[in-house]
Amino acid sequence: MINLGLRLAIAGGREAIARLAVLAAAVAVGVGMLLATVAGINAVHAQNMRYPWLNSAVTSAATGPEARDPALWIVREDYFHGHPLARVDVAVSGPDGPVPPGMTALPGPGEYYVSPALDRLLRDYPADQLRDRFPGRQTAILGRDALPSPQSLIAVIGGTREEVGRIADITEITRLVTISPDKCRGCIIGIGANGIVLTLSVVAAALLFPLLIFIGTATRLSAARREQRFAAMRLVGATPRQITQIATVESMLAAVAGTLAGFGVFFAIRAGLAQIPFTGEPFFADDLSLSAADWLLVAAGVPLAAAVAARIALRRVRISPLGVTRRVTPEPPRAWRLIPLLLALAELTSMVGNRPPTRDGQTIGYLSGIFGVMIGLMLAGPWLTMTGSRLLARQAQHPATLIAGRRLADDPRAGFRAVSGLMLALFVTSTATGVITTIVAERGGGTAGVASHDFVSVATLKDDHGGGVPASTLRLPADLNAHLIHVNPDERPDNERLPGLITCAELATIRGAGTCPPGAEVAEVFPDLTGPKSIASTATGPLWPAAGQSAAQLAGLNVLDVVVPTDGTPPAIERARTKLNQAFPYGRLAATEADYAGDFTRQLSQFQRLADVAIISSLVIAGCSLAVSVTGGLTDRQRPFAMLRLTGVRLAELRRVVALETAVPLLAVAVVAVGAGFLTAHLFLRSQMQYDLHAPGAEYYLIVIAGLLASIAMIMSTMPMLSRMTGPAAARSD
């Protein structure tokens, strides 16, 4: 039977070869995407395991070997061109101190090590923009084991114990942290691996559902013709087991070929995937690796799944050899198919205001709810298709409309199967877009006035507790256009006053810094002159509240913060940052509001990229599934359509029938999928972040409209086949 199955699969004419090629291509695409997702999850873990040494100030989590000579240690966040730069200040007490990965020893006083990416920047940019921030001389480049990413910017700077000991929050260490940041209590440097892996897992599932539909659709290509062939073999004596073996061999042959091709797809795209900063930083290429278990699971699981699909697809032939020819109208779908969808939505609704307290509980709750909605949509789809087809038949004004409505009502499952992949793609698109759009609206762009992003500011005290220092003690460069923010001595509660003060006359000279109320002499401000959404704004920036002090009184108040306005160009911002870091080397390093906002923007962009991958991939897969399904449907209905043409039905009417049979379920499920996607996004946002769903922008609607138009165009592209396939010769009985 195995040899016969191979012969039928390979030597069965152009139709058999075409079906084999389509199925192999479907499996190759699916395997390539699946391997890429699994490798992405592995890459997140690999990248995260190169962050631990940067968290060594968390001495309670230090598990590395203990050194005899302790070292002073502090990691602070600097920036260059909006990119985070980790500055590690150390002071060794002897030659036998702790040694981080990628180094042979910690740098001594007057020495510093840098990452390869930072080394390139130091050579490419003027010293007053970057190199002058680091005292001493560069003596080494960090090895790869110290680098989470090829683009990581890290500087390890050695100093004396007296110098480094003056930095705020300094820690003395004898051990290094060696455990992953997501397993380290108190560690703040690294990837929130659970969140990103959860997101990658959701993307994998979001891709897996359409892929399974695509593979299943391809498996059913020319199913009616194959069923008739197998039924004929049953009539001449073949047993159900033999038929199953032949079908299994046929499907497994395509699955094995597709799996091997899928491995090639993965290796072809791996280098490109490594350059996409899904976690905010690109991966090393070999981070995207697969374990032996991953390879074996995919290599054995995909062909096995194809064999199972083949057995299910031919269940009617196994029951009876006449089961194919003695066709009857299947029982119509019942309304109970809506129940799983409603239950999944009810589960998500129950989490609003009552979400599980643990991370694992939330993960299980959201995943089960979202996947439950996807499964519910698949179960409800045939019932929705049947409802739409009956409405179409009742409202029919033309023969084509009536024929299409009756055919859909007779077998709504087959009609829905063609558009099921697109329905899931629209659900994924709507859910991802709704969540991302709302988070951006609620948390993005939190400052009033764009010009405020060009201000570089630094706190005057190393502990940043708000006490400030006398203005007379400041030593600022003469060429630095610095503005002093004084401490607000008002004793009102913090929520009723702002911490800084500046004269209105000085405020008026700073473009984009805002204005004072009419008649005010001094304004209450935030130390960096950045106004949040709660502060009213004008065309010139935030409208700051008036203070009770006079301009003369400010001269006797301590200075809380130093702000340097720039023209917004990167060189100007970096020169100001470098000078401020030199003037105030022992506390929080100088930064702009755009730098702080960029931390959130980078995190958001991680999820946006993953959402884009899910949206684009699911739409592409759904389109391929639709094309295969429509083509297969025409092949299976070749003889009935040929008979209709012999009875006088015009070719134009048949084309209208084919278009309506696909367009009606397409539009019916599109509306439900979009609504379910937005509702799922709203329930997730309400339970997890207490946000209400915001309407998506025009880009979302363009994607949906383009997807629907592309689907309709794909349907129309099959129409030329109809003329060739429904000629008089096709009406004969095989």
Side-chain angles (χ1 to χ4, degrees):
M1 287 298 109
I2 294 178
N3 290 334
L4 178 59
L6 291 173
R7 289 179 59 189
L8 290 175
I10 298 174
R14 287 184 299 176
E15 182 179 316
I17 295 296
R19 178 184 171 278
L20 188 67
V22 170
L23 181 54
V27 174
V29 172
V31 168
M33 289 186 173
L34 188 59
L35 290 175
T37 303
V38 174
I41 294 175
N42 293 340
V44 170
H45 287 297
Q47 189 179 76
N48 222 21
M49 284 307 299
R50 291 192 293 272
Y51 277 110
W53 70 275
L54 291 168
N55 288 299
S56 294
V58 186
T59 55
S60 61
T63 56
E66 186 170 4
R68 288 189 298 178
D69 297 323
L72 295 180
W73 179 283
I74 180 69
V75 179
R76 293 178 290 171
E77 187 172 40
D78 198 358
Y79 296 91
F80 185 76
H81 286 197
H83 194 286
L85 190 163
R87 173 176 174 143
V88 186
D89 288 276
V90 299
V92 296
S93 61
D96 205 6
V99 181
M103 306 176 220
T104 57
L106 288 173
E111 300 176 341
Y112 63 85
Y113 307 159
V114 297
S115 62
L118 182 54
D119 178 63
R120 291 191 294 270
L121 294 177
L122 290 172
R123 288 186 274 108
D124 293 343
Y125 287 89
D128 63 351
Q129 294 184 32
L130 184 58
R131 186 179 291 275
D132 289 347
R133 302 180 199 178
F134 311 129
R137 60 190 178 88
Q138 179 183 331
T139 58
I141 294 178
L142 299 177
R144 175 175 162 172
D145 290 343
L147 307 175
S149 163
Q151 300 302 320
S152 295
L153 301 183
I154 303 174
V156 184
I157 304 166
T160 65
R161 292 181 68 83
E162 180 183 1
E163 292 170 342
V164 177
R166 297 173 61 186
I167 301 175
D169 301 321
I170 195 71
T171 304
E172 188 168 67
I173 67 168
T174 57
R175 297 174 182 266
L176 297 172
V177 172
T178 58
I179 60 175
S180 179
D182 67 308
K183 297 179 175 65
C184 170
R185 177 170 296 184
C187 294
I188 60 174
I189 302 175
I191 308 166
N194 287 319
I196 199 73
V197 171
L198 170 61
T199 305
L200 284 169
S201 300
V202 171
V203 171
L207 295 177
L208 191 59
F209 271 70
L211 282 171
L212 290 176
I213 293 172
F214 183 25
I215 294 173
T217 301
T219 303
R220 292 185 58 85
L221 189 63
S222 302
R225 301 288 294 273
R226 292 173 65 228
E227 288 174 350
Q228 290 174 356
R229 185 182 66 191
F230 289 146
M233 294 173 66
R234 287 289 314 278
L235 288 172
V236 297
T239 65
R241 182 177 180 182
Q242 291 172 327
I243 295 298
T244 299
Q245 289 177 345
I246 293 173
T248 300
V249 168
E250 208 173 333
S251 296
M252 287 191 68
L253 177 64
V256 169
T259 301
L260 294 176
F263 292 154
V265 170
F266 167 68
F267 285 113
I269 66 176
R270 185 169 73 160
L273 287 175
Q275 300 304 312
I276 301 175
F278 290 115
T279 63
E281 299 281 357
F283 297 113
F284 289 102
D286 55 5
D287 285 343
L288 289 160
S289 60
L290 296 166
S291 66
D294 296 332
W295 290 112
L296 291 175
L297 186 62
V298 173
V302 172
L304 182 62
V308 173
R311 293 177 63 91
I312 295 174
L314 296 174
R315 60 188 181 276
R316 289 187 302 177
V317 178
R318 293 201 307 272
I319 294 173
S320 167
L322 300 179
V324 176
T325 55
R326 294 179 178 176
R327 297 179 183 269
V328 295
T329 301
E331 184 178 350
R334 302 298 183 186
W336 68 262
R337 287 175 168 267
L338 296 174
I339 294 177
L341 175 61
L342 297 176
L343 289 176
L345 292 173
E347 179 187 354
L348 291 174
T349 303
S350 68
M351 296 182 68
V352 178
N354 190 36
R355 69 178 186 184
T358 64
R359 182 175 56 198
D360 291 341
Q362 293 173 23
T363 300
I364 293 173
Y366 290 127
L367 283 180
S368 61
I370 293 173
F371 292 161
V373 172
M374 298 174 76
I375 294 172
L377 287 172
M378 292 295 296
L379 291 174
W383 185 85
L384 295 171
T385 301
M386 181 192 68
T387 303
S389 64
R390 288 179 176 177
L391 180 63
L392 179 70
R394 291 195 197 100
Q395 304 297 324
Q397 301 292 326
H398 301 283
T401 308
L402 181 61
I403 293 173
R406 290 287 177 84
R407 286 181 59 85
L408 277 175
D410 283 347
D411 193 0
R413 294 175 182 83
F416 169 72
R417 193 180 300 121
V419 298
S420 55
L422 189 63
M423 180 195 68
L424 288 181
L426 289 174
F427 171 77
V428 171
T429 300
S430 302
T431 303
T433 302
V435 171
I436 295 296
T437 300
T438 301
I439 294 176
V440 171
E442 292 285 348
R443 298 173 59 185
T447 58
V450 176
S452 62
H453 282 209
D454 303 333
F455 303 159
V456 184
S457 66
V458 68
T460 57
L461 274 186
K462 67 177 185 178
D463 57 11
D464 203 15
H465 287 168
V469 298
S472 59
T473 64
L474 298 180
R475 299 293 181 266
L476 297 173
D479 60 345
L480 193 62
N481 180 27
H483 295 267
L484 307 183
I485 308 299
H486 295 268
V487 175
N488 187 353
D490 196 310
E491 296 182 355
R492 288 177 296 161
D494 289 345
N495 61 347
E496 297 180 9
R497 66 178 181 90
L498 301 183
L501 297 177
I502 189 173
T503 65
C504 293
E506 186 174 4
L507 188 65
T509 66
I510 308 173
R511 184 185 65 86
T515 57
C516 295
E521 191 174 350
V522 176
E524 293 185 353
V525 296
F526 282 103
D528 56 2
L529 292 182
T530 299
K533 291 180 178 180
S534 58
I535 299 291
S537 63
T538 65
T540 58
L543 180 60
W544 301 107
Q549 288 75 21
S550 65
Q553 290 175 312
L554 254 61
L557 297 176
N558 282 358
V559 176
L560 175 66
D561 214 85
V562 177
V563 176
V564 178
T566 70
D567 60 9
T569 61
I573 291 175
E574 299 310 330
R575 289 190 189 100
R577 193 198 311 274
T578 299
K579 290 179 179 179
L580 287 175
N581 284 351
Q582 290 175 312
F584 302 96
Y586 301 119
R588 172 177 58 86
L589 299 174
T592 67
E593 175 63 19
D595 294 327
Y596 297 134
D599 292 336
F600 166 71
T601 302
R602 279 184 292 274
Q603 182 185 39
L604 185 63
S605 67
Q606 299 170 17
F607 296 100
Q608 182 65 67
R609 291 186 191 99
L610 292 171
D612 290 343
V613 169
I615 290 170
I616 295 172
S617 301
S618 59
L619 285 173
V620 170
I621 294 169
C624 295
S625 178
L626 179 63
V628 171
S629 180
V630 172
T631 302
L634 289 177
T635 303
D636 290 343
R637 293 174 292 177
Q638 181 177 0
R639 188 167 182 271
F641 279 167
M643 295 294 291
L644 286 173
R645 286 197 66 185
L646 288 177
T647 60
V649 177
R650 294 179 300 165
L651 185 60
E653 293 292 335
L654 288 181
R655 289 172 176 165
R656 196 172 292 117
V657 169
V658 173
L660 288 172
E661 283 185 0
T662 310
V664 169
L666 175 65
L667 296 177
V669 301
V671 173
V672 175
V674 169
F678 283 146
L679 179 57
T680 300
H682 174 72
L683 294 174
F684 169 79
L685 290 165
R686 285 300 304 164
S687 62
Q688 186 69 12
M689 302 178 181
Q690 291 75 54
Y691 294 158
D692 288 319
L693 180 70
H694 287 249
E699 181 181 354
Y700 164 77
Y701 297 102
L702 290 176
I703 290 176
V704 172
I705 293 173
L708 293 175
L709 291 178
S711 300
I712 293 174
M714 203 166 291
I715 297 170
M716 301 307 296
S717 68
T718 63
M719 295 305 175
M721 298 173 55
L722 198 60
S723 176
R724 298 193 302 270
M725 296 173 61
T726 57
R732 72 178 188 272
S733 179
D734 292 337

